[in-house]
Amino acid sequence: LHPRHPIEKTSIKEITDLAGYNRGTFYLYYNDVYDLFSQIEEELLTRIREVLEVSMLENDTFDLSRQMEVLLELMQTHSHYASVLLSENGDPHFAGRLKEIILPVLERYFIPSEGLSDYQMKLLSEFYLSGILAAVSHWIASPQMSLQEFLTFIIAKVFGPHT
């Protein structure tokens, strides 16, 4: 599976050959390729949601560096799938759902809301979210920095004054 290979053109044979299983085993767990990717999406999104919710419930302050590291480790662990899901050939709903999960964190800890209308907040949120997801997607697809180098770079360049 490759980010440049559309999901709709991915065959069950490709998946089972890569995984080392037969078609029968595939169908024990999944209805089709879309079901497989849907389950992968759900697993990733659930784990990301859990990490962020626990952090928001336990802390009045947010340890950006640590939470981003946990999220990036999760994305890196599942980089093969994440790079496909976040690519132009992936599922656009995945990126939208991921943004919905991350948005409360940005609004609570990083986006200055004082004096901004709801519309302006929405614009600023979309700017941050789209930029972060594009950078993460690019890094996962072509990791020329270690996780720690990428994390340090993003925090310094994007969130520097707020951390």
Side-chain angles (χ1 to χ4, degrees):
L1 304 179
H2 194 277
R4 292 190 189 102
H5 188 84
I7 291 174
E8 62 270 4
K9 292 189 179 182
T10 301
S11 72
I12 292 170
K13 181 172 178 16
E14 286 177 279
I15 294 168
T16 56
D17 286 351
L18 282 170
Y21 294 102
N22 63 39
R23 291 174 67 84
T25 302
F26 177 90
Y27 284 113
L28 284 174
Y29 298 96
Y30 312 105
N31 296 325
D32 53 27
V33 173
Y34 296 103
D35 185 37
L36 167 68
F37 277 95
S38 176
Q39 288 187 38
I40 292 168
E41 283 181 30
E42 280 305 314
E43 180 183 339
L44 276 172
L45 293 171
T46 298
R47 293 173 106 183
I48 290 168
R49 186 179 299 109
E50 288 169 355
V51 166
L52 294 176
E53 285 177 354
V54 166
S55 293
M56 288 182 71
L57 288 174
E58 291 179 352
N59 303 310
D60 286 336
T61 59
F62 188 77
D63 182 351
L64 174 66
S65 181
R66 180 64 193 131
Q67 297 311 315
M68 278 195 68
E69 183 177 10
V70 170
L71 295 176
L72 290 172
E73 283 174 352
L74 184 59
M75 296 297 271
Q76 189 176 44
T77 299
H78 298 284
S79 65
H80 194 70
Y81 300 114
S83 64
V84 172
L85 291 168
L86 288 171
S87 75
E88 63 187 35
N89 291 317
D91 181 0
H93 294 100
F94 176 75
R97 292 176 66 201
L98 186 54
K99 286 178 180 181
E100 287 175 13
I101 293 169
I102 298 170
L103 178 62
V105 174
L106 287 178
E107 288 180 338
R108 182 170 175 179
Y109 299 108
F110 302 107
I111 299 176
S113 59
E114 191 172 317
L116 297 180
S117 70
D118 287 345
Y119 178 73
Q120 290 170 325
M121 281 293 297
K122 179 75 174 155
L123 289 175
L124 198 51
S125 298
E126 186 61 35
F127 174 78
Y128 272 94
L129 290 167
S130 294
I132 290 167
L133 286 184
V136 168
S137 179
H138 185 77
W139 172 70
I140 288 172
S142 179
Q144 295 179 17
M145 295 177 169
S146 70
L147 184 145
Q148 198 58 48
E149 290 169 330
F150 177 72
L151 179 62
T152 301
F153 175 76
I154 291 298
I155 289 175
K157 299 302 180 189
V158 178
F159 299 108
H162 301 291
T163 59

